[in-house]
Amino acid sequence: MTELHPGGGLRLGGVDHIALVTWDPAATCDFYTRVLGLPLVHAITATGWLKEEFPDFVHFFFELGKGNYLAFFYFFGLPEEEPAGDLMHRSRHLAFHVDTEEEMLAWREKIKSHGVRVTHPMQHELLESIYFDDPNGIQLEIARPLRPFGDVDARDAELTLVALADVAGKADATVQDMWRRKAEIVRTHAGKENS
């Protein structure tokens, strides 16, 4: 449900669905229903959409729980795209949430039992994750929080994004440039607070 912020204004009520593309609907349906246990709950079939050049398609939905869905398009007659390079493959991924280490390890064993390669758990800042691919080559992640995000994390994210916006797009900008800019912003704010 869309809610009002305490301070007024609208707030989105989470994710309804994420839509991806498959060229192998049978393997996709088998993987998400049998390996991950997601119910197939809806399918839209249509001849084109809005524009004449939009191909005929099937758009099918798996239920993730809590009102969230994962959907795939299958387009008739659309040639398969080249696989993404390794960096984009790892960057564009879908992460599922679990609460505990025990749940994450149980999922790892279940996924492995279906012959799917899955990484060992990896900790990165506030999350611990395992990674594996679906039949479309889409990287999936199961993640658990190591601790909840707090106000200090939100403040750090805000400072990071301000610094990033200041350096991104500049020729030869590096992450070190961003860290230096972030330090400048922190010093400026600290100076104002102490004056």
Side-chain angles (χ1 to χ4, degrees):
M1 178 179 182
T2 302
E3 301 173 341
L4 290 176
H5 269 296
L10 292 172
R11 179 172 186 160
L12 297 173
V15 175
D16 184 274
H17 70 274
I18 294 172
L20 304 170
V21 176
T22 181
W23 281 269
D24 191 341
T28 298
C29 189
D30 179 71
F31 179 83
Y32 283 95
T33 57
R34 191 171 60 87
V35 179
L36 295 188
L38 302 180
L40 176 68
V41 294
H42 183 50
I44 299 168
T45 60
T47 54
W49 204 347
L50 304 177
K51 295 181 178 179
E52 189 172 314
E53 64 269 22
F54 202 96
D56 300 345
F57 67 89
V58 176
H59 190 29
F60 53 101
F61 292 70
F62 300 99
E63 184 175 12
L64 293 168
K66 299 181 179 177
N68 308 137
Y69 300 89
L70 172 62
F72 281 87
F73 279 101
Y74 175 78
F75 294 109
F76 291 90
L78 189 70
E80 187 167 345
E81 287 185 342
E82 291 292 321
D86 186 60
L87 178 61
M88 290 302 109
H89 168 254
R90 293 174 189 273
S91 301
R92 296 172 179 152
H93 62 271
L94 175 62
F96 301 107
H97 175 87
V98 295
D99 289 322
T100 67
E101 181 178 23
E102 290 74 20
E103 288 176 281
M104 189 181 67
L105 295 176
W107 272 108
R108 184 172 186 271
E109 290 308 308
K110 176 178 170 61
I111 293 163
K112 282 177 61 180
S113 74
H114 288 276
V116 178
R117 294 181 62 183
V118 55
T119 69
H120 290 282
M122 292 185 241
Q123 291 189 0
H124 40 101
E125 299 216 348
L126 302 185
L127 296 173
E128 185 173 41
S129 305
I130 56 174
Y131 296 91
F132 52 102
D133 284 0
D134 84 350
N136 305 292
I138 297 167
Q139 187 170 78
L140 303 175
E141 172 183 354
I142 293 179
R144 73 176 183 99
L146 296 175
R147 68 165 171 81
F149 295 160
D151 291 343
V152 67
D153 304 306
R155 180 65 182 138
D156 180 69
E158 182 182 351
L159 291 168
T160 298
L161 268 293
V162 169
L164 177 61
D166 286 349
V167 303
K170 293 182 179 176
D172 302 323
T174 66
V175 71
Q176 288 81 8
D177 295 331
M178 187 202 67
W179 288 334
R180 280 190 284 273
R181 178 62 188 136
K182 184 176 174 181
E184 291 169 0
I185 295 168
V186 170
R187 281 196 296 272
T188 299
H189 281 267
K192 288 179 181 176
E193 290 175 0
N194 294 330
S195 61

